[in-house]
Amino acid sequence: MATSFSLAVYSITINKKGDKDDLQILTDFGDAGKNFLSDMDTMFLSWKQDEKRGDQYVPVKKDSEDKQGNAFRLGTKADGGGYYLTCNGQYIKGIIESGEFGTIEEGVNIETGKTSFRKNANDVLLKPFYFMLYIPKASQYGFLLIERISQSGIATILINEIQKYCKNSGGYEEYTIRIQPLVLNKLIDKRMAVLKYEAKTIELRKIQDERLKISKISDNNVSDKDVHTNLVYKIKRGMRMQILDFINSVRGKRNEQDTFYVIDNDLKCDDIAVTVSVDGQEKVLSLQNLKSLGFSMDITTDVSPLQTNGYPSYDKLDKQASILVSYIKEQFPNINEE
């Protein structure tokens, strides 16, 4: 399978502990006026080689003290021109190189079948991952964009490092930092518009309805809380229903606690699924799973051709990240861009 590349987006908020609705301005919160963006700049700069610290090489950090885990460092430019790390206004972006340690592996030449090198337990094969931290001015929301290479990524490593640094740096004791995947409506709309699916059936899953309530069945061994009822509507031949239109119509039917869909006053369900025909094959799209379409943007085609090392250039990755930022601004029109 060919290597694929994508950019995932995460939202960042800071709230008072015990009150998740008490969101703070990320660049100015607390009595001391803490600045999350400034703290992140300090964190990334601390990953650089420091002669005063006695570093002879670019420092490599481990995400675990176990014998196996991931190691990472700031990416360096091949021409010796320093690091891929830029802090510019409300942005911090660069390259983090990461790979696994703790295993012994043979590197075999695919043309000759001969062993070219041996990777020892303390060796790491590093992959370069792009990242961007975007913190609008006077905003309660920040955004983290991270590249994924096929099934490999650095999201867990980077989020853990951010949490660890803030915990150890002081000033965050009364606050909770939340970094979680962000669904971008633009990405969902773009994908669904391209697919142009038409529904064949619509299924309401795990229905809650007093009219359908089952008291007890099977000799009183199964109660109503153990039984889930699904309801399937078939679309008559000749009737056309565009999936994107249907999805837009039910998005607003999610209740305030985001736990179920309210179809009408009495009829509620946990999920809504649609069956579509794609190239003659039936495919089921669940609204619960549909959100995953908005978590990341596939950029494989847009970053080609690749460099000689088999990875996209920094400039191409940065360009795609800028497109994602434009989608973020479209979804959050009130963020301050002073």
Side-chain angles (χ1 to χ4, degrees):
M1 181 181 294
T3 303
S4 62
F5 304 92
S6 61
L7 285 172
V9 58
Y10 298 79
S11 66
I12 304 172
T13 57
I14 297 177
N15 62 272
K16 275 288 190 71
K17 286 185 175 178
D19 187 357
K20 65 179 182 180
D21 296 323
D22 186 10
L23 299 181
Q24 305 295 304
I25 302 298
L26 295 185
T27 52
D28 186 8
F29 65 94
D31 296 336
K34 290 289 292 181
N35 187 325
F36 178 75
L37 180 65
S38 177
D39 287 343
M40 291 298 95
D41 185 32
T42 302
M43 182 189 77
F44 287 116
L45 288 174
S46 71
W47 294 4
K48 285 187 174 183
Q49 183 175 343
D50 189 344
E51 294 180 359
K52 294 181 181 179
R53 195 167 53 202
D55 298 338
Q56 297 181 4
Y57 306 100
V58 177
V60 177
K61 298 171 67 68
K62 297 192 297 182
D63 70 346
S64 168
E65 294 305 319
D66 297 333
K67 293 183 179 180
Q68 290 187 340
N70 289 279
F72 57 96
R73 68 179 188 180
L74 281 178
T76 55
K77 299 179 181 179
D79 60 5
Y83 297 87
Y84 282 109
L85 181 65
T86 302
C87 181
N88 183 11
Q90 305 310 117
Y91 298 85
I92 299 175
K93 51 190 178 181
I95 295 289
I96 294 175
E97 299 173 338
S98 176
E100 296 181 352
F101 66 88
T103 59
I104 300 174
E105 300 171 22
E106 298 285 340
V108 178
N109 187 297
I110 60 173
E111 295 182 350
T112 65
K114 295 181 178 180
T115 299
S116 299
F117 65 92
R118 179 184 176 89
K119 174 191 168 303
N120 294 314
N122 287 332
D123 294 332
V124 181
L125 301 179
L126 296 173
K127 293 182 179 180
F129 296 89
Y130 174 94
F131 77 94
M132 173 191 285
L133 179 65
Y134 167 47
I135 311 291
K137 290 183 179 179
S139 175
Q140 297 174 325
Y141 293 90
F143 307 93
L144 180 63
L145 282 59
I146 306 177
E147 180 190 7
R148 189 169 183 82
I149 302 174
S150 294
Q151 300 303 312
S152 301
I154 57 167
T156 300
I157 291 174
L158 187 50
I159 291 172
N160 286 344
E161 286 300 308
I162 290 173
Q163 297 279 10
K164 186 192 308 181
Y165 182 85
C166 291
K167 179 181 179 180
N168 295 333
S169 65
Y172 291 84
E173 295 83 1
E174 300 178 9
Y175 301 94
T176 298
I177 302 173
R178 299 182 186 276
I179 305 176
Q180 50 196 0
L182 175 66
V183 176
L184 289 181
N185 296 331
K186 183 80 171 186
L187 294 182
I188 295 178
D189 292 346
K190 283 172 65 70
R191 292 189 181 187
M192 294 306 297
V194 171
L195 295 175
K196 296 181 179 178
Y197 287 153
E198 293 180 2
K200 297 187 68 176
T201 65
I202 297 174
E203 179 182 3
L204 308 183
R205 294 178 169 177
K206 296 186 179 180
I207 291 175
Q208 306 171 37
D209 190 327
E210 291 299 321
R211 295 167 296 181
L212 300 174
K213 189 172 183 179
I214 303 172
S215 57
K216 291 185 180 293
I217 63 174
S218 186
D219 196 24
N220 292 330
N221 291 325
V222 182
S223 63
D224 59 327
K225 67 182 179 62
D226 301 310
V227 179
H228 300 292
T229 304
N230 291 358
L231 187 61
V232 178
Y233 296 94
K234 291 186 178 181
I235 308 300
K236 293 182 179 179
R237 183 174 298 178
M239 294 181 61
R240 300 172 65 87
M241 177 179 287
Q242 292 291 343
I243 296 305
L244 184 58
D245 294 337
F246 172 72
I247 290 170
N248 288 334
S249 70
V250 299
R251 274 179 181 168
K253 296 182 182 294
R254 201 76 167 157
N255 78 318
E256 292 182 358
Q257 286 74 37
D258 200 38
T259 55
F260 52 81
Y261 292 92
V262 181
I263 306 304
D264 59 32
N265 291 332
D266 297 318
L267 183 60
K268 308 174 181 66
C269 62
D270 282 8
D271 195 10
I272 302 174
V274 290
T275 302
V276 298
S277 179
V278 184
D279 298 329
Q281 300 293 322
E282 290 191 353
K283 181 180 179 65
V284 178
L285 298 175
S286 163
L287 291 191
Q288 291 280 46
N289 297 331
L290 194 63
K291 290 183 178 180
S292 63
L293 296 178
F295 288 151
S296 65
M297 180 172 73
D298 187 282
I299 59 173
T300 306
T301 301
D302 301 287
V303 296
S304 299
L306 303 176
Q307 302 178 110
T308 55
N309 64 359
Y311 296 104
S313 70
Y314 179 86
D315 290 341
K316 289 180 180 178
L317 290 167
D318 196 42
K319 181 178 180 180
Q320 295 305 309
S322 297
I323 294 174
L324 259 187
V325 170
S326 71
Y327 296 164
I328 291 171
K329 292 179 179 179
E330 183 176 329
Q331 190 161 321
F332 294 81
N334 296 324
I335 56 178
N336 195 332
E337 285 296 316
E338 295 179 356

